Amino acid sequence: MQFEQLKTPNGQTMEGPLLMTPKCFGDNRGWFYESWSRRSFDNAVGETVVFSQDNHSRSIQGVLRGLHYQLAPEPQAKVVRATLGAIFDVAVDIRSSSPTCGAWIGAELSAENKAQLWIPEGFAHGFLTLSAVAEVQYKARGFWNKACERALRWDDPTLAIDWPQGELNGNTISLSPKDAEAPDFLSAKTSGDLFP
């Protein structure tokens, strides 16, 4: 497994998230790859990570889920991958003390490239479905807790996320009612809904 730090659009390296790309072995019979190894993963992130639950979602093209996060006492970290189709996956740094607070990184995750994104606590997460259908699976550290759950607006001009809407073949962004009503980054900051 190869682990890579990603850069923000302005070229800053963002500490925390890691793009994980496995080595795939294949021939005319099919392929095999190791999708996760505790030893290599814990070495790469510098801590022992114990996951609490696995989640699986299915979305049609244009569905945007996010930007979601949970605050203390039950923050969540995730390892995200697409096992069918393709998504554009985004992490936004919402750690107030971070030099990249308010910045974002993004990567295409697909069944074809088999890449995964580690998103630690302190980041908001969202993805846009690029293919006709995509299935996303992720491991989560920390259980879902409605009282801790928060969201940020996907099209917040302060965050200025460059979602690849040109890849939607004319389809428009589709949001849940909750995501459509999410506050912007500055409102969340003012109300104390960011990480320290």
Side-chain angles (χ1 to χ4, degrees):
M1 184 79 71
Q2 178 183 338
F3 297 86
E4 174 189 359
Q5 286 184 309
L6 298 176
K7 294 185 182 297
T8 67
N10 70 2
Q12 282 182 285
T13 299
M14 185 175 284
E15 298 291 333
L18 292 173
L19 185 66
M20 304 160 49
T21 308
K23 185 170 184 179
C24 188
F25 302 92
D27 56 28
N28 61 347
R29 300 169 301 150
W31 48 256
F32 169 85
Y33 70 98
E34 184 178 82
S35 62
W36 186 77
S37 160
R38 172 179 281 173
R39 181 174 35 220
S40 60
F41 180 78
D42 288 354
N43 285 339
V45 301
E47 62 175 305
T48 299
V49 177
V50 177
F51 291 106
S52 309
Q53 64 186 62
D54 282 1
N55 300 318
H56 191 149
S57 71
R58 181 178 173 96
S59 304
I60 61 171
Q61 189 175 58
V63 168
L64 194 150
R65 298 186 186 271
L67 302 157
H68 302 150
Y69 62 103
Q70 288 187 186
L71 295 173
E74 191 98 58
Q76 277 193 324
K78 303 171 184 174
V79 172
V80 183
R81 65 181 176 142
T83 51
L84 175 71
I87 63 170
F88 184 68
D89 206 43
V90 168
V92 177
D93 190 347
I94 54 172
R95 301 168 296 177
S96 300
S97 59
S98 169
T100 54
C101 184
W104 64 275
I105 52 98
E108 184 171 319
L109 309 181
S110 70
E112 185 176 340
N113 70 21
K114 301 171 181 55
Q116 302 175 61
L117 190 61
W118 161 243
I119 304 168
E121 295 90 348
F123 291 82
H125 168 251
F127 67 84
L128 174 63
T129 308
L130 302 178
S131 52
V133 176
E135 291 193 12
V136 176
Q137 297 184 44
Y138 56 97
K139 303 177 94 54
R141 172 168 68 179
F143 292 103
W144 177 75
N145 185 327
K146 185 171 180 56
C148 300
E149 187 180 41
R150 301 291 188 278
L152 295 176
R153 190 167 176 81
W154 72 279
D155 61 350
D156 181 346
T158 300
L159 302 177
I161 298 170
D162 187 15
W163 298 101
Q165 296 181 61
E167 296 185 35
L168 299 182
N169 302 317
N171 289 316
T172 57
I173 299 288
S174 176
L175 302 166
S176 71
K178 178 180 74 173
D179 289 345
E181 296 169 3
D184 61 31
F185 177 77
L186 294 178
S187 297
K189 188 174 184 178
T190 301
S191 64
D193 276 347
L194 300 183
F195 283 75

